[in-house]
Amino acid sequence: MQGGNTLEELPLGKSTERAALAAAQAALGRIILGKDEQIELALSCLLARGHLLIEDLPGLGKTVLAHALAVVLGLSYRRIQFTSDLLPADIVGVSIFRKESGEFEFQPGPVFSQLVLADEVNRATPKAQSALLEAMEERQVTVDGTTRALPNPFFVVATQNPADQIGTFPLPESQLDRFLMRLELGYPNEENERELITGKDRRAMLEEVVAETSPEILLALQEAASQVHMSDALVDYIQALVRQTRESPDIDIGLSPRGAQALAAAAKAHAFIRKHSGVFPDDVQAVFATVAGHRLKAAGGAHYRSASELCQHVIDSVDIP
Amino acid sequence: MSRIKRHGTDGSLLSSLPWTLASLALALLPHVIYLPVWISAAFLACGLWRYMIEKRRAALPSTWIRAALALACFLGVLFEYQTISGVGPGSALLAIMASLKLLETRKRRDQFVLLFIAIFLVMSALLREQYLWSLPYLVVAMIFIMTAWLRMSAAASESIRRSFATGGRLLLYAAPIAIVMWVFFPRISSPFWAVPIDTSSGVSGLSSTMSPGDISSLSLSNEVAFRVRFDSQIPAARDLYWRGLVLHQFNGRSWKGSEPSMGRRAAQQIEVRGEPVRYRITMEATRQHWVYALDIPYQWDLHKTRMSAQQVLARDFPIDQRIAYQVESYTDYRAGADMNDFVRDRYLALPDSSNRRTAELARQMRRDAGSDGAFINALLALFHDEDFYYTLQPPPLGRNPVDNFLFDTRRGFCEHYASAFTVMMRSAGIPARIVLGYQGGELNPLGNYMIVRQSDAHAWAEVWFAGRGWVRVDPTAAVAPERIELGIAESMFDGIGLEWGLSAPSKFLHQMQLRWDAMNAQWNDWVLGYGPEKQNAFMGLLGMDNPSWRKMLLTLITLVIGLILLISGILALRYRPPPPDRATILYRRFVAKTGHQLSIGESPAAFAMRASTGSRLSADTILDITNSYQEARYGGVDALALQRLETQVAAIP
């Protein structure tokens, strides 16, 4: 369905970079079985320079996805396990006094990595959470009065377990807004689950995987993705969707202008991965639930089982111009 | 760690700020000639300053600087005008506040306030003057302000022409409502909302005293004093004496009148003969009480206007605005036939110590003449035969101006002759006085009315005879008959004017002037002159006789609401959603041919997936057309996609 264009016709992205992206996508697909759509969305999020929140039950491969992204894309990777006694310094790092030199030396924390996995982000206290969220927003951290830039690209994958309620600090809406997308992985299908059971251990597979891209290629891809053409008709469509979230009686809090920007950026990245010559309506629809789902607040009386169902309802009530 | 920079501007107003500034400048334009120069300069400086701030993303001046500037400007206005009420200081304050508001304009909201001030400035210009050109100015200024308003929120791609068109259209929607409000808003003869008129700017015209040189200085003014539309035959030029005020107190140099409210019985002392002259005068504001009318007015319809004991029409309050009134006059009349000794003495009074040679000459001439009538004729003959000259630029006169004029200089304008004549009469024991007014006027053939200008200002004398009353004698007629027969304009062009280097303006220019004046007269009649009487007459035409103001207001409100509903109804009916583009039309044609329906929110890709099963079209065709459509509608590269789509859809059987 997404065919029809040959690589030569595409305006953006050199073919070597394109090929690296396709190889990375394929490699991820071999590790995380049957989740091509989620992989595509996670890559879109990365190409749109956004951060990713994966929300699902334990054991569905959240951590593996984050780690695999880092390995395949050739990014430096650190994992922070969020617990209730996690301190901001555990994230950003500390200055240690060195006796030999008689000076303070900064010991960078795990946040100084190109891909940071914040595991079970809702288990930590708001203080620790905000240290991370600040780093995500500013792409720099300030320790002891010195501002230090974080690496570029800088990509945070946070996971949280929606079933856990006791002893957690759910992220407030304003902080959820920092994540470009919220992704759910879901259970694999029977066939894929069988292969997971019988096949190799996924962590062991990660040891063997080689990097398909480099940070430089990723930056170039990000730049190219932001240049994807967006027609007036499509801007109209995005605006119509946003308007619907604000006007629908089922929704209390609609999309903010920042939400609309996020939608446009994610749709561009998605169109880039799909090699579309411009952003198509199905690009917007594909990213809509993950971009808008965590930004909308359903009205009290509305009965939707999930945010994605609510988002689908919005899509189904707006004409495509 | 670097401190965050103090609120700099973000440059977001850069594109709309010039529009706001231009709107303000346009709104200030009619005020500039009245405002002190420093206020206009302050506006320009603030505008430039604000623009540079925006351009350089600099910070706005601090609160303290702004407060100090505001205080200084307020005191400046107070010092300039000594008050803050009235149109002059009011508009000065408004202008200065607009300038200072610029310095705290941070957001779009502040720009709205600025544009409101601009509208207010435009409106306040109407408090000063409402000329014919005020209307085009209003329209242009309002369209411009509306456009500036639209430019604030316009997309970068919207053309300026489009903004102007939208602004004009918005104004057009409002026009019927404005007209209805103007027609139906109840008019009251002396409006209680009248604003204090700006008295700082002078109005030229006759004043209640006359010294040598007063009228000759007026004679160069081309300003209109009043316009007259005759209902009956226009009297001959020599009868066109427009009576203003009477001066009777002489101090040796200047003449003075008395307050106008001296007597109320004067009208009864007038006997008239012959046919009346009926006409309507539209008089410009004079800030005086005098009401001009053809000698001698008999009936008039102007409210609160009475005839004083000296047969002078005066209103109870100064004429601050242009007024129109209907008068009936008789050129053949007899007035003030009775006079008691007390009054008689007043009209004979002369200061003892001045102009002795004149008094001597008068007594001698009176003795030689034998009768009062013969004496007057002898004096007029003296003016005519001796080398007396009628001139616009008489030489200055000394301590005894009448002596000086009669015996030495012998050059003078109408006030010299009237003054000398009256002094001579009084010296010889004949009661006499001076009348100030206008003589003649220019007939505008384009509007069929007469224009009387300040240059037509004139002074003549009246002498009293027992049994006959006051008789008009114009000594100027003896010196320069052409002044009276032809009017000041002709006599200046043809005679004395040339001598002083005044050349007649070209015929064409004069024609243009007359045309412009005719338009102005119409404007004054129909727009500015739309007062209680005209409104009442108009309401009568609509079937409402003498409606109360309550009824009028109710009609007004009903009409305005009705108009708003009507206009919005028309707009709603006329609204057409923008036509779909070519690619969409073709795509819909294709969708119809697949036999499936496109559901709401279904993307072309999703539709293709669904339609490829169970359609009479092949899956490849559906895929190709969908691709072409997406390329044409949403893609940014393929210029040929639309053409391809066109052929593909046409190829569907």
mmCIF file of all heavy atoms in Angstrom, chain B residues 602-637:
data_model
loop_
_atom_site.group_PDB
_atom_site.id
_atom_site.type_symbol
_atom_site.label_atom_id
_atom_site.label_comp_id
_atom_site.label_asym_id
_atom_site.label_seq_id
_atom_site.Cartn_x
_atom_site.Cartn_y
_atom_site.Cartn_z
ATOM 1 N N GLU B 602 -12.101 8.267 7.045
ATOM 2 C CA GLU B 602 -11.389 7.157 6.406
ATOM 3 C C GLU B 602 -10.326 7.722 5.474
ATOM 4 O O GLU B 602 -10.637 8.475 4.559
ATOM 5 C CB GLU B 602 -12.379 6.284 5.633
ATOM 6 C CG GLU B 602 -11.783 4.979 5.167
ATOM 7 C CD GLU B 602 -12.837 4.054 4.591
ATOM 8 O OE1 GLU B 602 -13.873 4.551 4.107
ATOM 9 O OE2 GLU B 602 -12.632 2.842 4.614
ATOM 10 N N SER B 603 -9.110 7.344 5.709
ATOM 11 C CA SER B 603 -8.033 7.886 4.884
ATOM 12 C C SER B 603 -8.055 7.186 3.523
ATOM 13 O O SER B 603 -8.580 6.078 3.400
ATOM 14 C CB SER B 603 -6.690 7.679 5.573
ATOM 15 O OG SER B 603 -6.358 6.311 5.565
ATOM 16 N N PRO B 604 -7.503 7.851 2.503
ATOM 17 C CA PRO B 604 -7.499 7.230 1.166
ATOM 18 C C PRO B 604 -6.871 5.844 1.188
ATOM 19 O O PRO B 604 -7.359 4.917 0.530
ATOM 20 C CB PRO B 604 -6.672 8.206 0.337
ATOM 21 C CG PRO B 604 -6.803 9.506 1.036
ATOM 22 C CD PRO B 604 -6.932 9.186 2.490
ATOM 23 N N ALA B 605 -5.809 5.697 1.990
ATOM 24 C CA ALA B 605 -5.141 4.392 2.056
ATOM 25 C C ALA B 605 -6.082 3.333 2.636
ATOM 26 O O ALA B 605 -6.189 2.221 2.100
ATOM 27 C CB ALA B 605 -3.885 4.514 2.912
ATOM 28 N N ALA B 606 -6.768 3.711 3.713
ATOM 29 C CA ALA B 606 -7.678 2.760 4.345
ATOM 30 C C ALA B 606 -8.817 2.408 3.406
ATOM 31 O O ALA B 606 -9.262 1.260 3.328
ATOM 32 C CB ALA B 606 -8.216 3.350 5.651
ATOM 33 N N PHE B 607 -9.301 3.414 2.655
ATOM 34 C CA PHE B 607 -10.384 3.160 1.725
ATOM 35 C C PHE B 607 -9.946 2.210 0.623
ATOM 36 O O PHE B 607 -10.678 1.282 0.237
ATOM 37 C CB PHE B 607 -10.882 4.480 1.123
ATOM 38 C CG PHE B 607 -11.953 4.287 0.097
ATOM 39 C CD1 PHE B 607 -13.263 4.027 0.495
ATOM 40 C CD2 PHE B 607 -11.659 4.336 -1.259
ATOM 41 C CE1 PHE B 607 -14.248 3.837 -0.448
ATOM 42 C CE2 PHE B 607 -12.648 4.140 -2.197
ATOM 43 C CZ PHE B 607 -13.948 3.894 -1.797
ATOM 44 N N ALA B 608 -8.742 2.424 0.121
ATOM 45 C CA ALA B 608 -8.238 1.573 -0.949
ATOM 46 C C ALA B 608 -8.172 0.128 -0.492
ATOM 47 O O ALA B 608 -8.566 -0.802 -1.200
ATOM 48 C CB ALA B 608 -6.864 2.060 -1.386
ATOM 49 N N MET B 609 -7.727 -0.045 0.748
ATOM 50 C CA MET B 609 -7.637 -1.382 1.321
ATOM 51 C C MET B 609 -9.009 -2.047 1.347
ATOM 52 O O MET B 609 -9.162 -3.193 0.974
ATOM 53 C CB MET B 609 -7.105 -1.247 2.756
ATOM 54 C CG MET B 609 -6.486 -2.516 3.304
ATOM 55 S SD MET B 609 -4.815 -2.672 2.697
ATOM 56 C CE MET B 609 -3.954 -1.808 3.995
ATOM 57 N N ARG B 610 -9.986 -1.265 1.783
ATOM 58 C CA ARG B 610 -11.331 -1.804 1.939
ATOM 59 C C ARG B 610 -11.975 -2.026 0.577
ATOM 60 O O ARG B 610 -12.626 -3.042 0.333
ATOM 61 C CB ARG B 610 -12.172 -0.814 2.757
ATOM 62 C CG ARG B 610 -13.580 -1.283 3.064
ATOM 63 C CD ARG B 610 -14.182 -0.454 4.185
ATOM 64 N NE ARG B 610 -14.370 0.947 3.831
ATOM 65 C CZ ARG B 610 -15.473 1.413 3.241
ATOM 66 N NH1 ARG B 610 -16.454 0.609 2.941
ATOM 67 N NH2 ARG B 610 -15.570 2.692 2.954
ATOM 68 N N ALA B 611 -11.766 -1.083 -0.330
ATOM 69 C CA ALA B 611 -12.473 -1.119 -1.611
ATOM 70 C C ALA B 611 -11.905 -2.173 -2.542
ATOM 71 O O ALA B 611 -12.582 -2.616 -3.467
ATOM 72 C CB ALA B 611 -12.428 0.259 -2.265
ATOM 73 N N SER B 612 -10.646 -2.561 -2.329
ATOM 74 C CA SER B 612 -10.053 -3.480 -3.305
ATOM 75 C C SER B 612 -10.700 -4.865 -3.252
ATOM 76 O O SER B 612 -10.548 -5.631 -4.187
ATOM 77 C CB SER B 612 -8.534 -3.569 -3.140
ATOM 78 O OG SER B 612 -8.211 -3.608 -1.776
ATOM 79 N N THR B 613 -11.399 -5.159 -2.186
ATOM 80 C CA THR B 613 -12.167 -6.409 -2.211
ATOM 81 C C THR B 613 -13.619 -6.071 -2.520
ATOM 82 O O THR B 613 -14.179 -5.120 -1.977
ATOM 83 C CB THR B 613 -12.103 -7.120 -0.847
ATOM 84 O OG1 THR B 613 -12.536 -6.222 0.164
ATOM 85 C CG2 THR B 613 -10.711 -7.621 -0.542
ATOM 86 N N GLY B 614 -14.168 -6.823 -3.410
ATOM 87 C CA GLY B 614 -15.585 -6.673 -3.738
ATOM 88 C C GLY B 614 -15.906 -5.435 -4.524
ATOM 89 O O GLY B 614 -16.995 -4.899 -4.407
ATOM 90 N N SER B 615 -14.969 -4.961 -5.328
ATOM 91 C CA SER B 615 -15.267 -3.832 -6.205
ATOM 92 C C SER B 615 -15.157 -4.297 -7.639
ATOM 93 O O SER B 615 -14.442 -5.258 -7.936
ATOM 94 C CB SER B 615 -14.284 -2.680 -5.955
ATOM 95 O OG SER B 615 -14.460 -1.721 -6.952
ATOM 96 N N ARG B 616 -15.880 -3.611 -8.521
ATOM 97 C CA ARG B 616 -15.782 -4.003 -9.923
ATOM 98 C C ARG B 616 -14.471 -3.523 -10.528
ATOM 99 O O ARG B 616 -14.081 -3.933 -11.613
ATOM 100 C CB ARG B 616 -16.984 -3.459 -10.703
ATOM 101 C CG ARG B 616 -17.099 -1.954 -10.659
ATOM 102 C CD ARG B 616 -18.397 -1.472 -11.249
ATOM 103 N NE ARG B 616 -18.347 -0.031 -11.460
ATOM 104 C CZ ARG B 616 -17.895 0.511 -12.567
ATOM 105 N NH1 ARG B 616 -17.459 -0.246 -13.546
ATOM 106 N NH2 ARG B 616 -17.863 1.821 -12.704
ATOM 107 N N LEU B 617 -13.771 -2.627 -9.787
ATOM 108 C CA LEU B 617 -12.474 -2.169 -10.279
ATOM 109 C C LEU B 617 -11.388 -3.100 -9.764
ATOM 110 O O LEU B 617 -11.515 -3.683 -8.680
ATOM 111 C CB LEU B 617 -12.194 -0.759 -9.791
ATOM 112 C CG LEU B 617 -13.235 0.296 -10.167
ATOM 113 C CD1 LEU B 617 -12.810 1.649 -9.624
ATOM 114 C CD2 LEU B 617 -13.382 0.366 -11.680
ATOM 115 N N SER B 618 -10.335 -3.173 -10.514
ATOM 116 C CA SER B 618 -9.257 -4.056 -10.088
ATOM 117 C C SER B 618 -8.477 -3.402 -8.948
ATOM 118 O O SER B 618 -8.455 -2.179 -8.804
ATOM 119 C CB SER B 618 -8.317 -4.327 -11.264
ATOM 120 O OG SER B 618 -7.501 -3.187 -11.477
ATOM 121 N N ALA B 619 -7.879 -4.238 -8.117
ATOM 122 C CA ALA B 619 -7.126 -3.720 -6.972
ATOM 123 C C ALA B 619 -6.000 -2.819 -7.426
ATOM 124 O O ALA B 619 -5.705 -1.797 -6.790
ATOM 125 C CB ALA B 619 -6.578 -4.885 -6.152
ATOM 126 N N ASP B 620 -5.391 -3.144 -8.562
ATOM 127 C CA ASP B 620 -4.289 -2.310 -9.069
ATOM 128 C C ASP B 620 -4.762 -0.914 -9.429
ATOM 129 O O ASP B 620 -4.101 0.078 -9.142
ATOM 130 C CB ASP B 620 -3.664 -2.978 -10.304
ATOM 131 C CG ASP B 620 -2.724 -4.110 -9.898
ATOM 132 O OD1 ASP B 620 -2.419 -4.167 -8.673
ATOM 133 O OD2 ASP B 620 -2.321 -4.889 -10.768
ATOM 134 N N THR B 621 -5.934 -0.879 -10.098
ATOM 135 C CA THR B 621 -6.476 0.423 -10.486
ATOM 136 C C THR B 621 -6.726 1.274 -9.248
ATOM 137 O O THR B 621 -6.347 2.458 -9.188
ATOM 138 C CB THR B 621 -7.810 0.234 -11.241
ATOM 139 O OG1 THR B 621 -7.618 -0.753 -12.228
ATOM 140 C CG2 THR B 621 -8.279 1.531 -11.838
ATOM 141 N N ILE B 622 -7.343 0.634 -8.254
ATOM 142 C CA ILE B 622 -7.655 1.364 -7.032
ATOM 143 C C ILE B 622 -6.378 1.879 -6.386
ATOM 144 O O ILE B 622 -6.274 3.044 -5.969
ATOM 145 C CB ILE B 622 -8.447 0.461 -6.063
ATOM 146 C CG1 ILE B 622 -9.821 0.176 -6.659
ATOM 147 C CG2 ILE B 622 -8.568 1.107 -4.700
ATOM 148 C CD1 ILE B 622 -10.658 -0.777 -5.839
ATOM 149 N N LEU B 623 -5.380 1.032 -6.350
ATOM 150 C CA LEU B 623 -4.104 1.411 -5.735
ATOM 151 C C LEU B 623 -3.440 2.559 -6.498
ATOM 152 O O LEU B 623 -2.967 3.535 -5.899
ATOM 153 C CB LEU B 623 -3.196 0.166 -5.748
ATOM 154 C CG LEU B 623 -2.217 0.068 -4.593
ATOM 155 C CD1 LEU B 623 -2.972 -0.022 -3.286
ATOM 156 C CD2 LEU B 623 -1.330 -1.171 -4.788
ATOM 157 N N ASP B 624 -3.453 2.447 -7.814
ATOM 158 C CA ASP B 624 -2.812 3.487 -8.633
ATOM 159 C C ASP B 624 -3.494 4.834 -8.442
ATOM 160 O O ASP B 624 -2.847 5.874 -8.284
ATOM 161 C CB ASP B 624 -2.873 3.092 -10.119
ATOM 162 C CG ASP B 624 -1.872 1.987 -10.440
ATOM 163 O OD1 ASP B 624 -1.003 1.758 -9.569
ATOM 164 O OD2 ASP B 624 -1.975 1.389 -11.520
ATOM 165 N N ILE B 625 -4.835 4.776 -8.479
ATOM 166 C CA ILE B 625 -5.563 6.045 -8.374
ATOM 167 C C ILE B 625 -5.355 6.652 -6.987
ATOM 168 O O ILE B 625 -5.131 7.858 -6.846
ATOM 169 C CB ILE B 625 -7.063 5.823 -8.675
ATOM 170 C CG1 ILE B 625 -7.217 5.514 -10.173
ATOM 171 C CG2 ILE B 625 -7.877 7.045 -8.304
ATOM 172 C CD1 ILE B 625 -8.636 5.267 -10.597
ATOM 173 N N THR B 626 -5.395 5.787 -5.961
ATOM 174 C CA THR B 626 -5.183 6.302 -4.607
ATOM 175 C C THR B 626 -3.802 6.945 -4.480
ATOM 176 O O THR B 626 -3.657 8.025 -3.913
ATOM 177 C CB THR B 626 -5.336 5.160 -3.592
ATOM 178 O OG1 THR B 626 -6.622 4.575 -3.761
ATOM 179 C CG2 THR B 626 -5.199 5.678 -2.178
ATOM 180 N N ASN B 627 -2.794 6.272 -5.045
ATOM 181 C CA ASN B 627 -1.444 6.847 -4.996
ATOM 182 C C ASN B 627 -1.380 8.189 -5.700
ATOM 183 O O ASN B 627 -0.810 9.147 -5.194
ATOM 184 C CB ASN B 627 -0.443 5.881 -5.631
ATOM 185 C CG ASN B 627 -0.086 4.763 -4.664
ATOM 186 O OD1 ASN B 627 -0.121 4.982 -3.457
ATOM 187 N ND2 ASN B 627 0.214 3.590 -5.190
ATOM 188 N N SER B 628 -1.992 8.237 -6.889
ATOM 189 C CA SER B 628 -1.947 9.488 -7.642
ATOM 190 C C SER B 628 -2.646 10.596 -6.871
ATOM 191 O O SER B 628 -2.174 11.735 -6.819
ATOM 192 C CB SER B 628 -2.634 9.324 -8.998
ATOM 193 O OG SER B 628 -2.015 8.292 -9.718
ATOM 194 N N TYR B 629 -3.790 10.224 -6.271
ATOM 195 C CA TYR B 629 -4.534 11.243 -5.523
ATOM 196 C C TYR B 629 -3.716 11.758 -4.338
ATOM 197 O O TYR B 629 -3.608 12.966 -4.120
ATOM 198 C CB TYR B 629 -5.867 10.665 -5.038
ATOM 199 C CG TYR B 629 -6.574 11.553 -4.049
ATOM 200 C CD1 TYR B 629 -6.972 12.835 -4.420
ATOM 201 C CD2 TYR B 629 -6.831 11.133 -2.749
ATOM 202 C CE1 TYR B 629 -7.612 13.669 -3.519
ATOM 203 C CE2 TYR B 629 -7.468 11.953 -1.846
ATOM 204 C CZ TYR B 629 -7.864 13.227 -2.218
ATOM 205 O OH TYR B 629 -8.485 14.046 -1.345
ATOM 206 N N GLN B 630 -3.122 10.840 -3.593
ATOM 207 C CA GLN B 630 -2.346 11.275 -2.422
ATOM 208 C C GLN B 630 -1.163 12.138 -2.846
ATOM 209 O O GLN B 630 -0.834 13.125 -2.198
ATOM 210 C CB GLN B 630 -1.862 10.054 -1.631
ATOM 211 C CG GLN B 630 -3.014 9.284 -1.022
ATOM 212 C CD GLN B 630 -2.564 8.355 0.076
ATOM 213 O OE1 GLN B 630 -2.985 8.487 1.213
ATOM 214 N NE2 GLN B 630 -1.710 7.413 -0.261
ATOM 215 N N GLU B 631 -0.549 11.752 -3.959
ATOM 216 C CA GLU B 631 0.569 12.558 -4.476
ATOM 217 C C GLU B 631 0.096 13.959 -4.838
ATOM 218 O O GLU B 631 0.719 14.958 -4.509
ATOM 219 C CB GLU B 631 1.176 11.895 -5.724
ATOM 220 C CG GLU B 631 2.007 10.678 -5.441
ATOM 221 C CD GLU B 631 3.220 11.012 -4.602
ATOM 222 O OE1 GLU B 631 3.809 12.084 -4.809
ATOM 223 O OE2 GLU B 631 3.543 10.211 -3.706
ATOM 224 N N ALA B 632 -1.040 13.989 -5.538
ATOM 225 C CA ALA B 632 -1.522 15.274 -6.045
ATOM 226 C C ALA B 632 -2.001 16.173 -4.909
ATOM 227 O O ALA B 632 -1.785 17.377 -4.919
ATOM 228 C CB ALA B 632 -2.661 15.046 -7.038
ATOM 229 N N ARG B 633 -2.658 15.538 -3.922
ATOM 230 C CA ARG B 633 -3.289 16.351 -2.892
ATOM 231 C C ARG B 633 -2.335 16.652 -1.740
ATOM 232 O O ARG B 633 -2.335 17.746 -1.207
ATOM 233 C CB ARG B 633 -4.519 15.603 -2.372
ATOM 234 C CG ARG B 633 -5.309 16.356 -1.315
ATOM 235 C CD ARG B 633 -6.531 16.982 -1.915
ATOM 236 N NE ARG B 633 -7.378 17.581 -0.897
ATOM 237 C CZ ARG B 633 -7.474 18.876 -0.678
ATOM 238 N NH1 ARG B 633 -6.761 19.713 -1.413
ATOM 239 N NH2 ARG B 633 -8.272 19.368 0.238
ATOM 240 N N TYR B 634 -1.553 15.684 -1.345
ATOM 241 C CA TYR B 634 -0.730 15.855 -0.146
ATOM 242 C C TYR B 634 0.762 15.832 -0.416
ATOM 243 O O TYR B 634 1.540 16.255 0.425
ATOM 244 C CB TYR B 634 -1.063 14.761 0.883
ATOM 245 C CG TYR B 634 -2.536 14.668 1.222
ATOM 246 C CD1 TYR B 634 -3.333 13.636 0.753
ATOM 247 C CD2 TYR B 634 -3.127 15.654 2.015
ATOM 248 C CE1 TYR B 634 -4.676 13.564 1.064
ATOM 249 C CE2 TYR B 634 -4.476 15.586 2.319
ATOM 250 C CZ TYR B 634 -5.246 14.535 1.847
ATOM 251 O OH TYR B 634 -6.563 14.486 2.151
ATOM 252 N N GLY B 635 1.159 15.305 -1.556
ATOM 253 C CA GLY B 635 2.578 15.174 -1.833
ATOM 254 C C GLY B 635 3.197 16.501 -2.209
ATOM 255 O O GLY B 635 2.519 17.457 -2.542
ATOM 256 N N GLY B 636 4.513 16.561 -2.134
ATOM 257 C CA GLY B 636 5.166 17.832 -2.420
ATOM 258 C C GLY B 636 6.082 17.778 -3.617
ATOM 259 O O GLY B 636 6.759 18.745 -3.916
ATOM 260 N N VAL B 637 6.149 16.661 -4.302
ATOM 261 C CA VAL B 637 7.164 16.511 -5.334
ATOM 262 C C VAL B 637 6.586 16.397 -6.737
ATOM 263 O O VAL B 637 7.017 17.089 -7.650
ATOM 264 C CB VAL B 637 8.008 15.226 -5.106
ATOM 265 C CG1 VAL B 637 9.426 15.465 -5.554
ATOM 266 C CG2 VAL B 637 7.904 14.763 -3.683
#
